[in-house]
Amino acid sequence: MALYAGSLALSKAGATLVNTRREFRLLILSPGEPSDQLGGELIKASLDDTNLQYTALSYTWGDPSDPANITLNDGHNLPITRNLEAALRQFRSRIDPVRLWVDAICINQADKEEKNSQVRIMRSIYVLACRTWVWLGSSDAESDRAMDIVQSFRLGDLTTNELRLTSRKDWEGIGNLMRRSWWTRIWVIQEVLSSRRVHVWCGSRMIDFECFVKLEEIRRDFAFRDIPTQPFANILSNWDLNQRIVLNGEAPLFEWMADTHKFSSTLRRDRIYALLGLSSEESRSAIVPDYTSRTSDSLLSTRATVHFLMQQKSLLPLQSGFYKKAEDLDLPSWVSDWSTSQAGYVMLVFNRPYNACGSYSTTTPRFSPEITQPSSCPENVSLILSGVVVGEIKIAEPMLEVPLYTGTDTNKDLESRMLRRELTRSTCQNWWAIYESFTNPIEESSSVNRDRRYPFPDIPSVRQEAFWRTIIADRALDGTGPVGRQWFRFFRSWLTDVEGEGITDFRNAAVSHCAGRSFILTCEGTPGLAPAKTKAGDIVCLLYGGDVPFVLRRLSSGDGCYQLIGETYVHGIMQGEKSEMLRGERVQDFEIV
């Protein structure tokens, strides 16, 4: 039986919900013995009721191919996943009914219009619940012990020696607990951040969610490799701040999208819809959940990008886009595939360490056809930006790609990191050889002074500095910079594989900034880092509203349109050195399709 083939039973059992009354369903889980068939009754409730008493469930659906059943109201069976069945059996009382909200049961998943309206009020459902129960799954041989240890960590501050008393086997058990799929699911962020009280269950063990906040603090401070750095780690490490942000409703959707790209969802559009409840009112008004065929995944990503550009009044959404787009999505080049959990390689996010456009760092984007609201945006729309061409790319040499490991196996993660480090170093050695041998097209016989044949004086130390600053985008791994001149020593040690001071800092910065990028040289010999798909003949532009330059590609159609390739670091123009060009007669419009 296919999952949710029992939607007819659900519609009969729960009756039709009235959106204007903010109605939703609750499951009254019937008491029973462990071996009894699951049963219960669906009742209607309203978020406007003042005496609501229920527990909200946060869990992963699990494999739908082998469903169990729960019997509802008048004897109709509703298929549910085995993971949900295990949770309900754990929560069921032998004596008293248990009042729960469970999305798979309380929302008619086959009715897309109902799903649209219920997703819009989902945050309120968790806010008004007396508590939220997180279900990590059934227990195994080591999970009970792991839950007990995690609970003990919250009892007080622990010294390094006290932590060392925890055995390696126990740490592995804790690590496996953190590898459970719940920690990677996009919907759980809203579910726990919106809740008053959160308890975590694994089998029959239950502990307070704050225990895992403490665990992340320990992992971060003591760098225990047995505890994986899973997507939820950033949420845990900023738990109090994130709760305040959600409570105040002050975070734009764009910021949540950028911070949560490693989380997963079954449906593409849920990568956006699952975060709306955490976002500002402006974002919730601009993007409304729609699971019908009226809104395709391509149209949703386009409208999201339009909203982000309008909201930010800058080109930041283009700077932190996701370059790995799903092949079956026909998206304009300037629209990010916000539905993917495979991130592109992002040079910049929110700390704005560059200022390539100087005082022209804001813009009001224009579109063709004209758009006033994201909700009115058609699927095929062009972005029109103003700016200037500052160079043409002569050489583009890509970094060899090592697929980002996104799993939780620490050994595979270490292997991936080591391979990426070595490939980055060897590729940068090749890049340096290319840069050293580059010949400027100006003839030797030219009357132009030799020191002016390049954007920088043709002096070895100056050219070396331009190169090593380029391959780290002149920033440390944490985004601080420009870095000091002592980093040249770090570069020299790293490039020649000689142990030395600061080699780790330089290596980490180079690996991070070169990933997914090409080393470029303009026709004048200016070095830079651009997206891996950059080609010779592409142009480098300064565009109003950009903190950084962008690479555009002229389309061969001859209609004057361009394709956005992506953001770029170009040495010597990142702090506004050429921003005066944006007030000159060379400014033009670029229609990007």
Side-chain angles (χ1 to χ4, degrees):
M1 180 186 296
L3 198 61
Y4 303 118
S7 59
L8 176 61
L10 180 57
S11 62
K12 288 183 178 180
T16 302
L17 300 176
V18 180
N19 295 338
T20 56
R21 299 176 186 170
R22 300 208 300 165
E23 288 186 338
F24 67 112
R25 299 185 187 91
L26 289 173
L27 169 66
I28 310 301
L29 184 62
S30 300
E33 296 298 323
S35 60
D36 290 348
Q37 165 69 21
L38 287 172
E41 178 184 4
L42 284 174
I43 64 170
K44 289 203 300 183
S46 169
L47 292 173
D48 297 324
D49 293 345
T50 58
N51 58 346
L52 284 173
Q53 296 289 324
Y54 64 94
T55 298
L57 183 58
S58 177
Y59 67 106
T60 57
W61 282 20
D63 183 6
S65 63
D66 179 31
N69 287 304
I70 181 172
T71 303
L72 298 174
N73 293 43
D74 52 358
H76 288 277
N77 288 328
L78 179 71
I80 58 174
T81 62
R82 294 291 177 180
N83 187 50
L84 178 53
E85 178 198 27
L88 295 179
R89 288 190 178 279
Q90 178 61 53
F91 302 149
R92 178 171 60 180
S93 167
R94 280 188 166 92
I95 302 172
D96 300 314
V98 180
R99 185 175 292 221
L100 299 171
W101 185 83
V102 186
D103 62 347
I105 297 176
C106 297
I107 299 175
N108 186 350
Q109 303 292 328
D111 185 340
K112 293 182 179 180
E113 295 293 353
E114 177 178 304
K115 192 173 179 180
N116 291 345
S117 61
Q118 290 293 286
V119 167
R120 293 170 200 160
I121 64 172
M122 194 173 291
R123 178 194 173 193
S124 297
I125 291 174
Y126 282 92
V127 167
L128 294 177
C130 298
R131 69 192 65 81
T132 294
W133 284 342
V134 170
W135 175 252
L136 296 182
S138 300
S139 61
D140 56 31
E142 55 190 14
S143 63
D144 286 354
R145 170 74 176 160
M147 290 283 283
D148 292 342
I149 295 173
V150 173
Q151 185 175 38
S152 71
F153 287 159
R154 196 189 173 202
L155 299 179
D157 294 330
L158 300 174
T159 65
T160 303
N161 288 334
E162 289 173 323
L163 289 170
R164 285 174 179 164
L165 293 177
T166 304
S167 70
R168 176 65 182 272
K169 182 178 180 181
D170 286 338
W171 282 119
E172 290 176 351
I174 295 171
N176 290 333
L177 196 67
M178 301 305 293
R179 291 183 179 91
R180 298 209 174 203
S181 60
W182 183 90
W183 300 103
T184 66
R185 178 174 168 261
I186 189 73
W187 281 104
V188 305
I189 306 172
Q190 173 183 245
E191 291 165 2
V192 295
L193 282 175
S194 301
S195 300
R196 303 183 205 176
R197 299 170 55 197
V198 184
H199 297 130
V200 181
W201 291 77
C202 185
S204 61
R205 291 292 200 278
M206 183 191 76
I207 63 177
D208 194 276
F209 192 84
E210 293 287 342
C211 297
F212 289 95
V213 177
K214 180 65 176 181
L215 175 64
E216 172 56 23
E217 179 184 328
I218 293 172
R219 187 202 65 79
R220 190 174 62 250
D221 291 346
F222 294 94
F224 288 111
R225 290 200 58 83
D226 290 312
I227 306 177
T229 308
Q230 29 77 357
F232 212 92
N234 187 50
I235 306 295
L236 290 171
S237 61
N238 298 286
W239 181 251
D240 291 338
L241 174 61
N242 284 325
Q243 281 194 313
R244 288 197 299 271
I245 290 173
V246 172
L247 179 64
N248 296 330
E250 58 192 28
L253 175 62
F254 174 60
E255 295 184 13
W256 283 111
M257 293 298 304
D259 287 344
T260 60
H261 66 265
K262 292 184 179 180
F263 284 81
S264 61
S265 63
T266 302
L267 299 178
R268 284 174 172 170
R269 59 192 61 203
D270 282 347
R271 289 277 301 111
I272 295 176
Y273 293 162
L275 299 171
L276 284 174
L278 302 173
S279 305
S280 62
E281 177 61 33
E282 181 184 3
S283 293
R284 294 198 300 274
S285 300
I287 300 176
V288 179
D290 183 5
Y291 289 90
T292 70
S293 59
R294 294 189 299 266
T295 303
S296 66
D297 291 329
S298 297
L299 181 56
L300 177 60
S301 282
T302 301
R303 287 177 173 173
T305 307
V306 168
H307 168 57
F308 299 153
L309 287 168
M310 288 180 167
Q311 186 181 59
Q312 296 293 318
K313 298 190 183 305
S314 75
L315 303 188
L316 190 58
L318 305 186
Q319 294 173 210
S320 53
F322 296 85
Y323 301 130
K324 291 189 176 181
K325 301 181 182 181
E327 294 181 358
D328 60 332
L329 291 182
D330 184 19
L331 295 172
S333 65
W334 56 274
V335 172
S336 296
D337 178 7
W338 301 104
S339 67
T340 182
S341 59
Q342 296 297 316
Y345 298 91
V346 180
M347 187 180 293
L348 308 173
V349 189
F350 302 115
N351 51 355
R352 290 179 172 263
Y354 303 108
N355 188 28
C357 290
S359 59
Y360 299 94
S361 59
T362 61
T363 189
T364 300
R366 292 171 290 149
F367 303 93
S368 178
E370 186 177 352
I371 298 170
T372 56
Q373 296 293 331
S375 58
S376 64
C377 172
E379 199 152 340
N380 296 315
V381 61
S382 300
L383 172 65
I384 301 174
L385 299 173
S386 299
V388 294
V389 178
V390 295
E392 181 176 326
I393 294 172
K394 178 76 171 179
I395 294 174
E397 289 290 327
M399 171 63 62
L400 296 176
E401 183 177 3
V402 178
L404 291 171
Y405 178 72
T406 57
T408 54
D409 185 310
T410 52
N411 291 327
K412 290 182 179 179
D413 180 55
L414 180 60
E415 290 174 7
S416 175
R417 290 174 184 271
M418 295 297 290
L419 179 58
R420 186 176 295 109
R421 290 170 184 173
E422 181 53 34
L423 279 178
T424 302
R425 189 176 65 85
S426 61
T427 304
C428 284
Q429 289 174 333
N430 295 334
W431 288 353
W432 171 240
I434 292 170
Y435 184 43
E436 274 193 309
S437 62
F438 179 79
T439 301
N440 190 283
I442 298 177
E443 299 293 338
E444 289 288 343
S445 59
S446 170
S447 60
V448 178
N449 182 281
R450 176 176 171 79
D451 282 353
R452 295 179 59 83
R453 290 178 61 246
Y454 296 95
F456 315 103
D458 193 14
I459 301 171
S461 62
V462 175
R463 299 196 74 198
Q464 282 183 344
E465 181 173 0
F467 179 78
W468 67 256
R469 288 189 184 276
T470 293
I471 63 175
I472 61 172
D474 205 12
R475 293 296 182 268
L477 181 62
D478 62 2
T480 57
V483 299
R485 290 183 177 272
Q486 72 274 17
W487 277 59
F488 169 68
R489 299 195 308 272
F490 309 161
F491 158 71
R492 187 169 52 188
S493 297
W494 173 74
L495 197 67
T496 56
D497 199 21
V498 175
E499 289 297 325
E501 176 192 5
I503 186 172
T504 300
D505 292 336
F506 193 94
R507 178 197 68 205
N508 291 343
V511 169
S512 175
H513 289 105
C514 290
R517 297 201 170 267
S518 286
F519 176 72
I520 61 170
L521 286 171
T522 67
C523 292
E524 296 78 21
T526 307
L529 282 179
K533 57 186 177 182
T534 302
K535 297 179 181 179
D538 292 342
I539 57 174
V540 177
C541 300
L542 291 179
L543 302 172
Y544 289 123
D547 291 332
V548 297
F550 289 88
V551 175
L552 301 181
R553 180 173 300 160
R554 299 181 184 93
L555 295 182
S556 57
S557 57
D559 56 4
C561 294
Y562 294 80
Q563 180 183 10
L564 174 68
I565 303 303
E567 60 174 18
T568 182
Y569 174 94
V570 179
H571 190 68
I573 70 170
M574 302 302 291
Q575 298 302 329
E577 293 89 340
K578 290 196 174 183
S579 61
E580 73 281 354
M581 296 174 65
L582 290 169
R583 64 170 65 96
E585 59 185 22
R586 293 173 58 186
V587 174
Q588 65 180 93
D589 284 345
F590 298 90
E591 183 173 354
I592 304 172
V593 297

